[in-house]
mmCIF file of all heavy atoms in Angstrom:
data_model
loop_
_atom_site.group_PDB
_atom_site.id
_atom_site.type_symbol
_atom_site.label_atom_id
_atom_site.label_comp_id
_atom_site.label_asym_id
_atom_site.label_seq_id
_atom_site.Cartn_x
_atom_site.Cartn_y
_atom_site.Cartn_z
ATOM 1 N N ARG M 28 -120.962 137.709 -67.822
ATOM 2 C CA ARG M 28 -121.428 136.496 -68.470
ATOM 3 C C ARG M 28 -120.655 136.262 -69.748
ATOM 4 O O ARG M 28 -120.315 137.232 -70.442
ATOM 5 C CB ARG M 28 -122.907 136.765 -68.828
ATOM 6 C CG ARG M 28 -123.770 135.605 -68.802
ATOM 7 C CD ARG M 28 -125.208 135.956 -69.014
ATOM 8 N NE ARG M 28 -125.889 134.700 -69.286
ATOM 9 C CZ ARG M 28 -126.142 134.260 -70.480
ATOM 10 N NH1 ARG M 28 -125.849 134.981 -71.543
ATOM 11 N NH2 ARG M 28 -126.707 133.074 -70.635
ATOM 12 N N PHE M 29 -120.369 135.013 -70.086
ATOM 13 C CA PHE M 29 -119.764 134.728 -71.388
ATOM 14 C C PHE M 29 -120.851 134.885 -72.454
ATOM 15 O O PHE M 29 -122.019 134.564 -72.185
ATOM 16 C CB PHE M 29 -119.257 133.290 -71.481
ATOM 17 C CG PHE M 29 -118.122 132.957 -70.554
ATOM 18 C CD1 PHE M 29 -117.981 131.667 -70.043
ATOM 19 C CD2 PHE M 29 -117.177 133.906 -70.201
ATOM 20 C CE1 PHE M 29 -116.939 131.335 -69.205
ATOM 21 C CE2 PHE M 29 -116.130 133.590 -69.354
ATOM 22 C CZ PHE M 29 -116.013 132.295 -68.855
ATOM 23 N N LEU M 31 -121.512 133.044 -74.883
ATOM 24 C CA LEU M 31 -122.225 131.787 -75.154
ATOM 25 C C LEU M 31 -122.519 130.942 -73.916
ATOM 26 O O LEU M 31 -122.733 129.738 -74.025
ATOM 27 C CB LEU M 31 -121.448 130.961 -76.184
ATOM 28 C CG LEU M 31 -121.737 131.327 -77.644
ATOM 29 C CD1 LEU M 31 -121.028 130.376 -78.593
ATOM 30 C CD2 LEU M 31 -123.232 131.336 -77.947
ATOM 31 N N SER M 32 -122.535 131.584 -72.754
ATOM 32 C CA SER M 32 -122.928 130.826 -71.549
ATOM 33 C C SER M 32 -124.306 130.237 -71.785
ATOM 34 O O SER M 32 -125.159 130.883 -72.394
ATOM 35 C CB SER M 32 -123.067 131.768 -70.345
ATOM 36 O OG SER M 32 -121.823 132.183 -69.874
ATOM 37 N N TYR M 33 -124.545 129.038 -71.255
ATOM 38 C CA TYR M 33 -125.900 128.531 -71.458
ATOM 39 C C TYR M 33 -126.892 129.354 -70.632
ATOM 40 O O TYR M 33 -126.533 129.959 -69.629
ATOM 41 C CB TYR M 33 -126.017 127.030 -71.243
ATOM 42 C CG TYR M 33 -125.539 126.430 -69.937
ATOM 43 C CD1 TYR M 33 -125.590 127.097 -68.724
ATOM 44 C CD2 TYR M 33 -125.065 125.119 -69.925
ATOM 45 C CE1 TYR M 33 -125.178 126.494 -67.543
ATOM 46 C CE2 TYR M 33 -124.646 124.506 -68.756
ATOM 47 C CZ TYR M 33 -124.713 125.209 -67.576
ATOM 48 O OH TYR M 33 -124.300 124.621 -66.411
ATOM 49 N N ASP M 55 -121.766 122.467 -60.073
ATOM 50 C CA ASP M 55 -121.314 122.744 -61.444
ATOM 51 C C ASP M 55 -119.783 122.735 -61.439
ATOM 52 O O ASP M 55 -119.138 123.698 -61.008
ATOM 53 C CB ASP M 55 -121.838 124.099 -61.951
ATOM 54 C CG ASP M 55 -121.450 124.306 -63.412
ATOM 55 O OD1 ASP M 55 -120.550 123.593 -63.896
ATOM 56 O OD2 ASP M 55 -122.043 125.175 -64.078
ATOM 57 N N PRO M 56 -119.166 121.625 -61.898
ATOM 58 C CA PRO M 56 -117.704 121.508 -61.824
ATOM 59 C C PRO M 56 -116.947 122.349 -62.850
ATOM 60 O O PRO M 56 -115.715 122.450 -62.778
ATOM 61 C CB PRO M 56 -117.464 120.014 -62.067
ATOM 62 C CG PRO M 56 -118.689 119.518 -62.760
ATOM 63 C CD PRO M 56 -119.825 120.412 -62.401
ATOM 64 N N PHE M 57 -117.637 122.946 -63.812
ATOM 65 C CA PHE M 57 -117.003 123.865 -64.782
ATOM 66 C C PHE M 57 -117.894 125.111 -64.809
ATOM 67 O O PHE M 57 -118.498 125.423 -65.824
ATOM 68 C CB PHE M 57 -116.921 123.211 -66.170
ATOM 69 C CG PHE M 57 -116.128 121.936 -66.191
ATOM 70 C CD1 PHE M 57 -116.744 120.700 -66.004
ATOM 71 C CD2 PHE M 57 -114.751 121.971 -66.372
ATOM 72 C CE1 PHE M 57 -116.002 119.520 -66.006
ATOM 73 C CE2 PHE M 57 -114.000 120.795 -66.382
ATOM 74 C CZ PHE M 57 -114.628 119.568 -66.194
ATOM 75 N N CYS M 58 -117.969 125.811 -63.678
ATOM 76 C CA CYS M 58 -119.106 126.729 -63.482
ATOM 77 C C CYS M 58 -118.999 128.040 -64.230
ATOM 78 O O CYS M 58 -119.984 128.773 -64.306
ATOM 79 C CB CYS M 58 -119.356 126.956 -61.999
ATOM 80 S SG CYS M 58 -118.193 128.088 -61.245
ATOM 81 N N GLY M 59 -117.834 128.369 -64.792
ATOM 82 C CA GLY M 59 -117.721 129.606 -65.566
ATOM 83 C C GLY M 59 -118.266 130.780 -64.780
ATOM 84 O O GLY M 59 -117.946 130.968 -63.593
ATOM 85 N N THR M 60 -119.162 131.533 -65.408
ATOM 86 C CA THR M 60 -119.673 132.757 -64.792
ATOM 87 C C THR M 60 -120.829 132.481 -63.820
ATOM 88 O O THR M 60 -121.475 133.411 -63.348
ATOM 89 C CB THR M 60 -120.114 133.749 -65.877
ATOM 90 O OG1 THR M 60 -121.231 133.180 -66.583
ATOM 91 C CG2 THR M 60 -119.001 134.033 -66.869
ATOM 92 N N GLY M 61 -121.112 131.201 -63.587
ATOM 93 C CA GLY M 61 -122.017 130.852 -62.482
ATOM 94 C C GLY M 61 -123.494 130.741 -62.813
ATOM 95 O O GLY M 61 -124.334 130.822 -61.908
ATOM 96 N N THR M 62 -123.831 130.495 -64.068
ATOM 97 C CA THR M 62 -125.263 130.407 -64.430
ATOM 98 C C THR M 62 -125.992 129.349 -63.598
ATOM 99 O O THR M 62 -127.079 129.600 -63.065
ATOM 100 C CB THR M 62 -125.414 130.092 -65.935
ATOM 101 O OG1 THR M 62 -124.622 131.034 -66.657
ATOM 102 C CG2 THR M 62 -126.852 130.171 -66.395
ATOM 103 N N THR M 63 -125.381 128.172 -63.464
ATOM 104 C CA THR M 63 -126.033 127.101 -62.690
ATOM 105 C C THR M 63 -126.239 127.539 -61.243
ATOM 106 O O THR M 63 -127.316 127.364 -60.671
ATOM 107 C CB THR M 63 -125.157 125.824 -62.700
ATOM 108 O OG1 THR M 63 -124.881 125.477 -64.041
ATOM 109 C CG2 THR M 63 -125.829 124.673 -61.976
ATOM 110 N N VAL M 77 -117.033 124.846 -59.321
ATOM 111 C CA VAL M 77 -115.568 124.809 -59.431
ATOM 112 C C VAL M 77 -115.225 125.543 -60.721
ATOM 113 O O VAL M 77 -115.852 125.315 -61.759
ATOM 114 C CB VAL M 77 -115.025 123.362 -59.494
ATOM 115 C CG1 VAL M 77 -113.499 123.362 -59.493
ATOM 116 C CG2 VAL M 77 -115.557 122.516 -58.340
ATOM 117 N N GLU M 78 -114.231 126.424 -60.637
ATOM 118 C CA GLU M 78 -113.814 127.176 -61.822
ATOM 119 C C GLU M 78 -112.303 127.385 -61.763
ATOM 120 O O GLU M 78 -111.767 127.768 -60.723
ATOM 121 C CB GLU M 78 -114.568 128.521 -61.884
ATOM 122 C CG GLU M 78 -114.102 129.487 -62.947
ATOM 123 C CD GLU M 78 -114.082 128.903 -64.363
ATOM 124 O OE1 GLU M 78 -115.048 128.262 -64.789
ATOM 125 O OE2 GLU M 78 -113.059 129.095 -65.063
ATOM 126 N N ALA M 79 -111.643 127.149 -62.893
ATOM 127 C CA ALA M 79 -110.184 127.199 -62.910
ATOM 128 C C ALA M 79 -109.617 128.571 -63.280
ATOM 129 O O ALA M 79 -108.425 128.811 -63.079
ATOM 130 C CB ALA M 79 -109.668 126.150 -63.897
ATOM 131 N N ASN M 80 -110.440 129.442 -63.815
ATOM 132 C CA ASN M 80 -109.942 130.738 -64.288
ATOM 133 C C ASN M 80 -110.184 131.796 -63.187
ATOM 134 O O ASN M 80 -111.336 132.094 -62.852
ATOM 135 C CB ASN M 80 -110.714 131.092 -65.572
ATOM 136 C CG ASN M 80 -110.198 132.359 -66.223
ATOM 137 O OD1 ASN M 80 -109.601 133.207 -65.577
ATOM 138 N ND2 ASN M 80 -110.448 132.482 -67.513
ATOM 139 N N VAL M 83 -112.745 134.710 -63.606
ATOM 140 C CA VAL M 83 -114.106 134.177 -63.752
ATOM 141 C C VAL M 83 -114.580 133.660 -62.394
ATOM 142 O O VAL M 83 -115.735 133.857 -61.998
ATOM 143 C CB VAL M 83 -114.139 133.067 -64.831
ATOM 144 C CG1 VAL M 83 -115.541 132.530 -65.004
ATOM 145 C CG2 VAL M 83 -113.613 133.599 -66.160
ATOM 146 N N GLY M 228 -110.321 126.064 -58.741
ATOM 147 C CA GLY M 228 -109.553 124.828 -58.873
ATOM 148 C C GLY M 228 -109.826 124.102 -60.168
ATOM 149 O O GLY M 228 -110.507 124.606 -61.064
ATOM 150 N N ASP M 229 -109.282 122.905 -60.221
ATOM 151 C CA ASP M 229 -109.299 122.091 -61.431
ATOM 152 C C ASP M 229 -110.192 120.872 -61.180
ATOM 153 O O ASP M 229 -109.892 120.053 -60.314
ATOM 154 C CB ASP M 229 -107.848 121.672 -61.711
ATOM 155 C CG ASP M 229 -107.706 120.747 -62.881
ATOM 156 O OD1 ASP M 229 -108.726 120.240 -63.391
ATOM 157 O OD2 ASP M 229 -106.551 120.505 -63.294
ATOM 158 N N SER M 230 -111.258 120.766 -61.915
ATOM 159 C CA SER M 230 -112.235 119.693 -61.680
ATOM 160 C C SER M 230 -111.733 118.309 -62.056
ATOM 161 O O SER M 230 -112.442 117.332 -61.872
ATOM 162 C CB SER M 230 -113.508 119.972 -62.469
ATOM 163 O OG SER M 230 -114.376 120.685 -61.666
ATOM 164 N N ARG M 231 -110.534 118.250 -62.580
ATOM 165 C CA ARG M 231 -109.977 116.918 -62.858
ATOM 166 C C ARG M 231 -109.326 116.349 -61.605
ATOM 167 O O ARG M 231 -109.118 115.148 -61.511
ATOM 168 C CB ARG M 231 -108.937 116.983 -63.981
ATOM 169 C CG ARG M 231 -109.516 117.343 -65.331
ATOM 170 C CD ARG M 231 -108.415 117.673 -66.302
ATOM 171 N NE ARG M 231 -107.618 118.789 -65.802
ATOM 172 C CZ ARG M 231 -106.439 119.134 -66.269
ATOM 173 N NH1 ARG M 231 -105.893 118.454 -67.253
ATOM 174 N NH2 ARG M 231 -105.780 120.167 -65.764
ATOM 175 N N THR M 247 -123.813 121.107 -65.827
ATOM 176 C CA THR M 247 -122.559 121.751 -66.211
ATOM 177 C C THR M 247 -122.351 121.769 -67.714
ATOM 178 O O THR M 247 -123.000 121.014 -68.455
ATOM 179 C CB THR M 247 -121.365 121.031 -65.525
ATOM 180 O OG1 THR M 247 -120.201 121.850 -65.645
ATOM 181 C CG2 THR M 247 -121.077 119.670 -66.129
ATOM 182 N N SER M 248 -121.442 122.631 -68.132
ATOM 183 C CA SER M 248 -121.020 122.642 -69.524
ATOM 184 C C SER M 248 -119.503 122.792 -69.553
ATOM 185 O O SER M 248 -118.980 123.908 -69.410
ATOM 186 C CB SER M 248 -121.689 123.807 -70.257
ATOM 187 O OG SER M 248 -121.194 123.860 -71.561
ATOM 188 N N PRO M 249 -118.795 121.676 -69.696
ATOM 189 C CA PRO M 249 -117.329 121.781 -69.746
ATOM 190 C C PRO M 249 -116.900 122.380 -71.084
ATOM 191 O O PRO M 249 -117.716 122.491 -72.001
ATOM 192 C CB PRO M 249 -116.879 120.314 -69.641
ATOM 193 C CG PRO M 249 -118.040 119.498 -70.088
ATOM 194 C CD PRO M 249 -119.282 120.305 -69.842
ATOM 195 N N PRO M 250 -115.620 122.757 -71.221
ATOM 196 C CA PRO M 250 -115.159 123.185 -72.548
ATOM 197 C C PRO M 250 -115.304 122.027 -73.548
ATOM 198 O O PRO M 250 -115.457 120.877 -73.127
ATOM 199 C CB PRO M 250 -113.681 123.480 -72.310
ATOM 200 C CG PRO M 250 -113.530 123.653 -70.837
ATOM 201 C CD PRO M 250 -114.561 122.801 -70.208
ATOM 202 N N TYR M 251 -115.294 122.345 -74.835
ATOM 203 C CA TYR M 251 -115.322 121.290 -75.870
ATOM 204 C C TYR M 251 -113.967 121.292 -76.587
ATOM 205 O O TYR M 251 -113.282 122.308 -76.585
ATOM 206 C CB TYR M 251 -116.408 121.539 -76.931
ATOM 207 C CG TYR M 251 -117.731 122.067 -76.424
ATOM 208 C CD1 TYR M 251 -118.475 122.940 -77.208
ATOM 209 C CD2 TYR M 251 -118.233 121.678 -75.193
ATOM 210 C CE1 TYR M 251 -119.698 123.427 -76.760
ATOM 211 C CE2 TYR M 251 -119.454 122.170 -74.753
ATOM 212 C CZ TYR M 251 -120.173 123.043 -75.528
ATOM 213 O OH TYR M 251 -121.375 123.528 -75.088
ATOM 214 N N TYR M 257 -110.132 129.807 -73.478
ATOM 215 C CA TYR M 257 -110.860 130.619 -72.492
ATOM 216 C C TYR M 257 -109.964 131.687 -71.860
ATOM 217 O O TYR M 257 -110.450 132.721 -71.419
ATOM 218 C CB TYR M 257 -111.464 129.727 -71.394
ATOM 219 C CG TYR M 257 -112.726 129.049 -71.835
ATOM 220 C CD1 TYR M 257 -112.701 127.768 -72.368
ATOM 221 C CD2 TYR M 257 -113.951 129.700 -71.741
ATOM 222 C CE1 TYR M 257 -113.857 127.147 -72.797
ATOM 223 C CE2 TYR M 257 -115.111 129.096 -72.168
ATOM 224 C CZ TYR M 257 -115.060 127.821 -72.692
ATOM 225 O OH TYR M 257 -116.207 127.225 -73.122
ATOM 226 N N ASN M 283 -104.259 124.656 -65.352
ATOM 227 C CA ASN M 283 -105.383 124.041 -64.619
ATOM 228 C C ASN M 283 -106.585 123.752 -65.503
ATOM 229 O O ASN M 283 -107.551 123.151 -65.053
ATOM 230 C CB ASN M 283 -105.833 124.970 -63.481
ATOM 231 C CG ASN M 283 -105.006 124.771 -62.241
ATOM 232 O OD1 ASN M 283 -104.356 123.733 -62.088
ATOM 233 N ND2 ASN M 283 -104.997 125.751 -61.362
ATOM 234 N N PHE M 284 -106.560 124.213 -66.752
ATOM 235 C CA PHE M 284 -107.710 123.999 -67.641
ATOM 236 C C PHE M 284 -107.714 122.584 -68.207
ATOM 237 O O PHE M 284 -106.642 122.014 -68.481
ATOM 238 C CB PHE M 284 -107.668 124.955 -68.845
ATOM 239 C CG PHE M 284 -107.971 126.392 -68.541
ATOM 240 C CD1 PHE M 284 -107.814 127.363 -69.518
ATOM 241 C CD2 PHE M 284 -108.432 126.801 -67.298
ATOM 242 C CE1 PHE M 284 -108.090 128.701 -69.269
ATOM 243 C CE2 PHE M 284 -108.713 128.138 -67.032
ATOM 244 C CZ PHE M 284 -108.537 129.085 -68.029
ATOM 245 N N LEU M 285 -108.909 122.083 -68.402
ATOM 246 C CA LEU M 285 -109.076 120.855 -69.178
ATOM 247 C C LEU M 285 -108.453 121.113 -70.546
ATOM 248 O O LEU M 285 -108.675 122.175 -71.128
ATOM 249 C CB LEU M 285 -110.582 120.606 -69.315
ATOM 250 C CG LEU M 285 -111.042 119.409 -70.125
ATOM 251 C CD1 LEU M 285 -110.721 118.118 -69.378
ATOM 252 C CD2 LEU M 285 -112.561 119.489 -70.351
HETATM 253 C C1 LIG K 1 -118.313 126.315 -71.272
HETATM 254 S S1 LIG K 1 -117.615 127.246 -69.982
HETATM 255 C C2 LIG K 1 -118.889 127.205 -68.779
HETATM 256 C C3 LIG K 1 -119.803 128.368 -68.874
HETATM 257 C C4 LIG K 1 -120.818 128.380 -67.742
HETATM 258 N N1 LIG K 1 -121.852 127.411 -67.923
HETATM 259 C C5 LIG K 1 -121.401 129.754 -67.502
HETATM 260 O O1 LIG K 1 -122.525 129.841 -67.094
HETATM 261 O O2 LIG K 1 -120.694 130.756 -67.696
HETATM 262 C C6 LIG K 1 -116.422 126.175 -69.306
HETATM 263 C C7 LIG K 1 -115.693 126.741 -68.108
HETATM 264 O O3 LIG K 1 -114.852 125.705 -67.594
HETATM 265 C C8 LIG K 1 -113.677 126.311 -67.069
HETATM 266 N N2 LIG K 1 -112.670 125.249 -66.947
HETATM 267 C C9 LIG K 1 -111.830 124.750 -67.891
HETATM 268 N N3 LIG K 1 -111.108 123.757 -67.392
HETATM 269 C C10 LIG K 1 -111.476 123.598 -66.101
HETATM 270 C C11 LIG K 1 -111.091 122.707 -65.071
HETATM 271 N N4 LIG K 1 -110.156 121.769 -65.275
HETATM 272 N N5 LIG K 1 -111.688 122.802 -63.869
HETATM 273 C C12 LIG K 1 -112.636 123.753 -63.649
HETATM 274 N N6 LIG K 1 -113.025 124.634 -64.584
HETATM 275 C C13 LIG K 1 -112.473 124.559 -65.808
HETATM 276 C C14 LIG K 1 -113.378 127.396 -68.080
HETATM 277 O O4 LIG K 1 -112.532 128.376 -67.511
HETATM 278 C C15 LIG K 1 -114.773 127.914 -68.403
HETATM 279 O O5 LIG K 1 -115.102 128.977 -67.559
#
Side-chain angles (χ1 to χ4, degrees):
R28 212 174 166 264
F29 295 149
L31 275 185
S32 286
Y33 54 32
D55 185 343
F57 300 92
C58 77
T60 65
T62 309
T63 306
V77 185
E78 172 54 47
N80 185 336
V83 181
D229 176 349
S230 268
R231 293 168 301 165
T247 194
S248 176
Y251 320 146
Y257 281 94
N283 275 341
F284 288 173
L285 178 71

